[in-house]
Each structure stands twice: as structure tokens, then as C-alpha cells.
Amino acid sequence: MCGFAGLMAENVGALEVRVQSMLAPLFHRGPDDEGIWIDERMGLALGHRRLAILDLSAHGHQPMHSTSGRYVIVFNGEIYNFALLRKEIEAAGVNTEWRGHSDTEVLLAAFELWGVETTLARLVGMFAIVLWDKETHQLTLARDRLGEKPLYFGRIKGAFYFASELKAIRAQCAQDLQIDRDVLADYMRFGYIPAPRSIYKDIFKLHPGHLIQVSAAGVAGESRPFWSLVSDQTAELRSQLSQASDTEVLDLLDERLASAVGLQSFSDVPVGAFLSGGVDSSLVVSLMQAQSSSRVRTFTIGFEEEAFNEAPYAREVAQHLGTDHTEMYVKALDAAALIPMLPKIYDEPFADSSQIPTTLVSRLTREHVTVALTGDGGDELFAGYPRYPITANLWRKISKVPRPLRSAVASVLTHPSAADWDRLTGLLPARYQSSINGRRVNRLGQLIDSRSLGEMYIRLMSHWQPEENIVVGGKCTGFDSFPAQESDSIAAMRQWDVVQHLPDDLLVKVDRATMYSSLESRAPLLDHRIAEFAFALPERFLVREGVGKWALRRLLDRYVPSRLIDRPKTGFSIPLGEWLRGPLRDWAEDLLSPSRLVDDSYLDADKVGRMWHEHLSGKFDRSAHIWNVLMFQAWLRDIQSSECCGQTGENKEVFN
């Protein structure tokens, strides 16, 4: 697990100094070692920061050269099936004299034997790869199938830059980067920035499961996929599974998940796991403990606010499984102390408020282990979100209503503004006023007027709606990112989540939070073979009687009594609404100052002000909308401060 950065340019000079400045802000991703390789003739510099997980010796040092010398690589991630690939390479007689036992060395040997695309198709793991081919003078960038590891790239003033985090590129190009207002509008909408764009013009994120090749002149071609979540094989497997019994399917899932957990538990450093007490993390820990001769280390975060506290559930699961369990309770003051660091940790505007407990539990976990397994991906792959069946049923009913009638009703609901509706609903008895308000009435009208399931679902997943025009001079993208096939509504929503919500929100949150503490996270449920299996499952193995993750729940029954698990889903959330009205209020009001918003000129100060006052009144919870604004404002202030002070990277001591 590491971080990398580099550039390719003609006549730029001082390549080593430039790549060193890019690596400095990535110290937290790899505190164990640093390496730089330069080809002055080609104008290429590769830099790497290492967090040693496999082969702790110098033989794991990067940038690493292949045996023949043809390839040079910088690599972030883990190849879980590297031992099997190594045996296949040895059987082919290509390389029997290994320098060490790192997966990076095996990866290079595989590229030499099978070529780039064939090798990528054979990998099981999480990875971001930059590979230089000395023969063809071609640079290849590749990212793992589900998007666990980040990879930014872009061409600025004739030079091609790439890095694990945006801050590394900013260290070299800060004065030449411009905020993209359209991207900012999408950020306000979702609370994260969807790939392939970044907050800056001309800087991009490589899509998960894609590769892109760059010429010796530093010109990138079009990115192309090397994997697809849904394929002809998916339909084939679904046909087979549709004939299988419940027990047969659970046995297959048990076998595959146990294999994934076993592969991801292998390490040369201590391994533990996050445990929330929910289905996904409990299942991962159950499989870990079943394969371990010692007690697995587990970690959880709790809250004093009972409605948000899942720590007691995690404790009960840990006691049943016999893990070595550690928990930490988070207070608003803990959040307040962490908040100033969030812009540096998350690197571009990011507003999933569970970033706070995730960062804190990562810090706690790193005090004991270097690798932590997580339950990420279970809800998206196995239909765990209640919104899936609810939205599918709603669309099924609404789509039967003739379009003209729907549009007429929608017009009645959306034509009056939210403020107008609030004045009307103010005439209702007090007990109805919190549940029937102007924004909800407007949102209902928009949902009724949706032209497709995709539009309805994306609206449900949005905070600030496109029509609100919160960003001055910015425009949201449309609704065409949703999968075209809508015959299986739940599958289409899951697929959109796996392609966008999972990699651009949830996995960004986990990667940055864990890497900030130099902790490697691994997600067995995101083994691509598990993902393919999940999307081949007939719906009866996903949702029964309106409850999702049927297969995972019934598999977990084999390890943990259902009474410890069966409860309403709460998610890994914090009491943000209450904190913003209380201990975080002064910090928030400083960032939401109308004069500051006007001076910055990115956001509509009046709309932000109205939303903030609505939240402070206690009548409505607008914390999701406000947090999006606050995280952008905090990020903007941070980069403005860094640029004013001439700081392009973080001090290494911040991460020690």
C-alpha cells in the first residue's frame, strides 16, 4: 500500500526536484520508504512512497524494474493472487530467480510474460498502476475494477502529470489549476465528485476497471475498460443459479467469500478488521475468525447519542465470535478537533459526514495493526439499501400514470417555491409541519415528473437539486449516467451505485481516512469475482419481503445468531444536525458568512443563508445540504491559505 506521483514533459528541467515536491504531500501514504526514477532523455520522472505490507525488505522498493529491464513500475495496492501467478510464471520458465517475494515483482514478470491487458484481466486485487515501457516509449495507467485505489492525471502547460492524490499535482501546478464550476455543481448535488472529472479543469480521475495509454510526447489516448461488471457470463451464471436451491447458493457464496477473506488476510504485518455490528462487517469478521488460530483484532466507534450508537451491537458480535475487541466513543469535540484537517485528508471537496468516524476509527486501528479488513460493498452488491425496493415500487406505480397527468400534477407541486409552500403548510397543525414542508413538496413533484427510473433514482440520491442552481455559473450534468437497461429496476440502481456512488463516495472516504493514518484497508466483498457473482444472483436471493441482502443475512446465520444482527439499518452516521446547531455552530457560521460567500463568488449566498437558517430553527434537518457547502468552503479556505503562504505540500510531522 503506497502512493505515487510523476510527470512526463519535454524540456522541463529539474525533474528530480519536481517529483520530490509531488511526493512530499504523499508522505502519509508511504512513511516507510521513498524512491525516484528518472529518464532525462524521455523527460519522465516516477516517484513512490511505500507503506511496507508484503516483503518488508529492500526488495520491495519502488520504482521497480522488470528482470529484462523493459518495464518500470510504480504501484499502489495489493495483488491478492500474486502467489498463484508466481507459480504460473515459474511453470512457464520465464523467471525462476526472484529477488524477493513482493507482489510488485510478480506483477512485472506477468507483464513481460502475458502483456499488459492480459495481465490486468488475470489480477485479483486492488491497484493503481503506472507502467513505463522502455521499448515502445509508452506509459500505461490502470485502475482496479471497483475503484478501491485512486489515480489522478492531466495535462497542464504541455506536461502530463499523474498521482495517487490530487495534492501531489497541486504541489507542482497550483497556480495553473482552475476550479470547474460545473463539477462544483455536481459536488453540491451528490456530496462528492463523480469520475472522470476532478474539482479542477483538465485534471481527471481514471474510471475504475479502465486503462489509458500515454505517448512519449505526454499525450493521453482515450481510456478503455478491461473489465465489465455485467457481461454475457453474468447471464449464463444467473441462469444456473436460478435453478439452484437456497442451500446450494449459500454454499457457493460461503466458499467464495471465505476464499476472498483468506487471500486478503495474508500479510507480513498485523491484520485486524473494522466491526460495526452490521451484516457486512460481521460476516467478514466471522470468516476471518473461522480461519484464524488466534483472536482477530476488531475495532469500532461509538457515540454518546443513542440513536447513532452501534457500538453495543458490535461488542455483542465480538463477544460471540471471541475477537480481541477495541472500541472508542466519539464526542462532538473529537469531531471539532479533526475538522480542520479534513480538507487536507480528502484533497478535494468531499462531504460524506461519515468521513469523521471513519477517520477516527482508522487512527484507533493503526495503533494496533497495519492492515484492516472492512465490509465495504455489501449494500451495493447484495441490495442492502432499503431505497432499492422502495424506489422500484414507486417507479412501477408512477410510470403507469399517463405522462400528461403526471406533468400536470408535478407542475402544481413544483411551481410554488419551497418558501411559498412553507407559508401554506404553516397553517397546518404543528405535528404535521416538520414532515410536510416546501422542499419535500417540490421534491415530490420532481419525482412524479421523472422521465425514467434513472432520473428518479439520481434525484433521490441528490442533496441540492439541479434546479436550485446553488453554484454561480455552474450547471449539473444530466441523468444519463444511469444504466440503460431498466427491465430489472433493482439491478439498474445497484449498478449505478457500483459505478458511481461506491468508488467516488464510499471508497474515497475509506481510502483517504485509512491512508491518513498509514493504515491499509481491504474489502473482501469487493473481490471482483464476488461482485460478478452478486450481479448474477436472481432477485430472490437479494430481496425477500422487502428486506435486502437476503443471501448475506442467511449466510451470516451460520456464524452469528440472527438476534444479534436483525435490526433497522442505521448506517455509519453521526449526529451532524445536532452538532451543527451546537458545538460546531461557530465554526460553521464563520465559513457560511454571507460576505465570505459573496467574495468567493462560487455559491449563491442567499440560498445558502436560507438553508442555514432553516436548519438552525430546528424545524428541519438541512445538515446534508449544509455539510456539502461547509466542506467546500473549508477546502477553498485551505487551498487559498496554502497558496498565499507558498505551501504546496503538507509537513511530514502532520502524519506522524
Side-chain angles (χ1 to χ4, degrees), residues 14-35:
L15 282 173
E16 184 170 356
V17 173
R18 298 187 75 170
V19 76
Q20 280 180 335
S21 74
M22 296 178 73
L23 287 177
L26 300 180
F27 179 82
H28 58 290
R29 295 190 76 93
D32 297 331
D33 188 23
E34 177 179 286

CSV table of all heavy atoms in Angstrom, one decimal, residues 14-35:
chain,number,residue,atom,x,y,z
A,14,ALA,N,15.1,19.9,-14.0
A,14,ALA,CA,15.0,19.7,-12.6
A,14,ALA,C,13.9,18.6,-12.3
A,14,ALA,O,13.1,18.8,-11.4
A,14,ALA,CB,14.7,21.0,-11.8
A,15,LEU,N,13.9,17.5,-13.0
A,15,LEU,CA,12.9,16.5,-12.8
A,15,LEU,C,12.9,15.9,-11.4
A,15,LEU,O,11.8,15.7,-10.8
A,15,LEU,CB,13.1,15.4,-13.8
A,15,LEU,CG,12.6,15.6,-15.3
A,15,LEU,CD1,13.0,14.5,-16.2
A,15,LEU,CD2,11.1,15.8,-15.3
A,16,GLU,N,14.0,15.7,-10.8
A,16,GLU,CA,14.1,15.1,-9.5
A,16,GLU,C,13.5,16.0,-8.5
A,16,GLU,O,12.7,15.6,-7.6
A,16,GLU,CB,15.5,14.8,-9.1
A,16,GLU,CG,15.6,14.1,-7.8
A,16,GLU,CD,17.0,13.5,-7.5
A,16,GLU,OE1,17.9,13.6,-8.4
A,16,GLU,OE2,17.2,13.0,-6.4
A,17,VAL,N,13.8,17.3,-8.6
A,17,VAL,CA,13.2,18.3,-7.6
A,17,VAL,C,11.7,18.3,-7.7
A,17,VAL,O,11.0,18.4,-6.7
A,17,VAL,CB,13.8,19.7,-7.8
A,17,VAL,CG1,13.2,20.7,-7.0
A,17,VAL,CG2,15.3,19.6,-7.5
A,18,ARG,N,11.2,18.3,-9.0
A,18,ARG,CA,9.8,18.4,-9.2
A,18,ARG,C,9.0,17.2,-8.7
A,18,ARG,O,8.0,17.3,-8.0
A,18,ARG,CB,9.5,18.6,-10.7
A,18,ARG,CG,10.1,19.9,-11.3
A,18,ARG,CD,9.7,20.1,-12.7
A,18,ARG,NE,8.3,20.6,-12.7
A,18,ARG,CZ,7.8,21.1,-13.9
A,18,ARG,NH1,8.5,21.1,-15.0
A,18,ARG,NH2,6.5,21.5,-13.8
A,19,VAL,N,9.6,16.0,-8.9
A,19,VAL,CA,8.9,14.8,-8.4
A,19,VAL,C,9.0,14.7,-6.9
A,19,VAL,O,8.1,14.2,-6.2
A,19,VAL,CB,9.4,13.6,-9.2
A,19,VAL,CG1,10.7,13.1,-8.6
A,19,VAL,CG2,8.3,12.5,-9.0
A,20,GLN,N,10.1,15.2,-6.4
A,20,GLN,CA,10.2,15.2,-4.9
A,20,GLN,C,9.1,16.1,-4.3
A,20,GLN,O,8.6,15.8,-3.2
A,20,GLN,CB,11.6,15.6,-4.5
A,20,GLN,CG,12.6,14.5,-4.5
A,20,GLN,CD,14.0,15.0,-4.1
A,20,GLN,OE1,14.3,16.2,-4.2
A,20,GLN,NE2,14.8,14.1,-3.7
A,21,SER,N,8.9,17.2,-4.9
A,21,SER,CA,7.9,18.1,-4.4
A,21,SER,C,6.5,17.5,-4.5
A,21,SER,O,5.6,17.8,-3.6
A,21,SER,CB,7.9,19.5,-5.1
A,21,SER,OG,7.3,19.4,-6.4
A,22,MET,N,6.3,16.7,-5.5
A,22,MET,CA,5.0,16.0,-5.6
A,22,MET,C,4.8,14.9,-4.5
A,22,MET,O,3.7,14.6,-4.1
A,22,MET,CB,4.8,15.4,-7.0
A,22,MET,CG,4.8,16.4,-8.1
A,22,MET,SD,4.7,15.7,-9.8
A,22,MET,CE,3.0,15.1,-9.8
A,23,LEU,N,5.9,14.2,-4.2
A,23,LEU,CA,5.9,13.1,-3.2
A,23,LEU,C,5.7,13.6,-1.8
A,23,LEU,O,5.1,12.9,-0.9
A,23,LEU,CB,7.2,12.3,-3.3
A,23,LEU,CG,7.3,11.4,-4.5
A,23,LEU,CD1,8.7,10.7,-4.4
A,23,LEU,CD2,6.2,10.4,-4.6
A,24,ALA,N,6.2,14.8,-1.5
A,24,ALA,CA,6.1,15.3,-0.1
A,24,ALA,C,4.7,15.3,0.5
A,24,ALA,O,4.6,14.9,1.7
A,24,ALA,CB,6.7,16.8,0.0
A,25,PRO,N,3.7,15.7,-0.2
A,25,PRO,CA,2.3,15.7,0.4
A,25,PRO,C,1.8,14.3,0.5
A,25,PRO,O,0.7,14.1,1.1
A,25,PRO,CB,1.5,16.5,-0.6
A,25,PRO,CG,2.4,17.2,-1.5
A,25,PRO,CD,3.7,16.4,-1.5
A,26,LEU,N,2.5,13.3,0.0
A,26,LEU,CA,2.0,11.9,0.0
A,26,LEU,C,2.7,11.1,1.1
A,26,LEU,O,2.6,9.8,1.1
A,26,LEU,CB,2.2,11.2,-1.4
A,26,LEU,CG,1.5,11.9,-2.6
A,26,LEU,CD1,1.8,11.1,-3.8
A,26,LEU,CD2,0.0,11.9,-2.3
A,27,PHE,N,3.4,11.7,1.9
A,27,PHE,CA,4.2,11.0,3.0
A,27,PHE,C,3.4,10.0,3.8
A,27,PHE,O,3.8,8.9,4.1
A,27,PHE,CB,4.9,12.0,3.9
A,27,PHE,CG,5.7,11.4,5.0
A,27,PHE,CD1,7.0,11.0,4.8
A,27,PHE,CD2,5.1,11.2,6.3
A,27,PHE,CE1,7.7,10.4,5.8
A,27,PHE,CE2,5.8,10.6,7.3
A,27,PHE,CZ,7.1,10.2,7.1
A,28,HIS,N,2.1,10.4,4.1
A,28,HIS,CA,1.2,9.6,4.9
A,28,HIS,C,0.9,8.3,4.2
A,28,HIS,O,0.6,7.3,4.9
A,28,HIS,CB,-0.1,10.3,5.2
A,28,HIS,CG,-0.8,10.8,4.0
A,28,HIS,ND1,-0.3,11.8,3.2
A,28,HIS,CD2,-2.0,10.4,3.4
A,28,HIS,CE1,-1.2,12.0,2.2
A,28,HIS,NE2,-2.2,11.2,2.3
A,29,ARG,N,0.9,8.3,2.9
A,29,ARG,CA,0.5,7.0,2.1
A,29,ARG,C,1.7,6.0,2.2
A,29,ARG,O,1.4,4.8,1.9
A,29,ARG,CB,0.2,7.4,0.7
A,29,ARG,CG,-1.1,8.2,0.5
A,29,ARG,CD,-1.5,8.3,-0.9
A,29,ARG,NE,-2.2,7.0,-1.3
A,29,ARG,CZ,-3.5,6.8,-1.3
A,29,ARG,NH1,-4.3,7.7,-0.8
A,29,ARG,NH2,-4.0,5.6,-1.7
A,30,GLY,N,2.9,6.5,2.4
A,30,GLY,CA,4.0,5.6,2.5
A,30,GLY,C,5.2,6.1,3.3
A,30,GLY,O,6.1,6.6,2.8
A,31,PRO,N,5.0,6.0,4.6
A,31,PRO,CA,6.1,6.5,5.5
A,31,PRO,C,7.3,5.7,5.6
A,31,PRO,O,8.3,6.1,6.2
A,31,PRO,CB,5.4,6.6,6.9
A,31,PRO,CG,4.4,5.5,6.8
A,31,PRO,CD,3.9,5.4,5.4
A,32,ASP,N,7.3,4.5,5.0
A,32,ASP,CA,8.4,3.5,5.2
A,32,ASP,C,9.6,3.7,4.2
A,32,ASP,O,10.7,3.3,4.5
A,32,ASP,CB,7.9,2.1,5.1
A,32,ASP,CG,6.9,1.8,6.2
A,32,ASP,OD1,7.0,2.4,7.3
A,32,ASP,OD2,6.0,0.9,5.9
A,33,ASP,N,9.4,4.3,3.1
A,33,ASP,CA,10.4,4.4,2.1
A,33,ASP,C,10.0,5.3,1.0
A,33,ASP,O,8.8,5.6,0.7
A,33,ASP,CB,10.6,3.0,1.5
A,33,ASP,CG,11.9,2.9,0.5
A,33,ASP,OD1,12.8,3.7,0.7
A,33,ASP,OD2,11.9,2.0,-0.3
A,34,GLU,N,11.0,5.9,0.3
A,34,GLU,CA,10.8,6.8,-0.9
A,34,GLU,C,11.7,6.4,-2.0
A,34,GLU,O,12.9,6.0,-1.8
A,34,GLU,CB,11.0,8.2,-0.5
A,34,GLU,CG,10.8,9.2,-1.7
A,34,GLU,CD,11.1,10.6,-1.3
A,34,GLU,OE1,10.2,11.2,-0.6
A,34,GLU,OE2,12.1,11.2,-1.6
A,35,GLY,N,11.2,6.4,-3.2
A,35,GLY,CA,12.0,6.1,-4.4
A,35,GLY,C,11.7,7.0,-5.6
A,35,GLY,O,10.5,7.4,-5.8
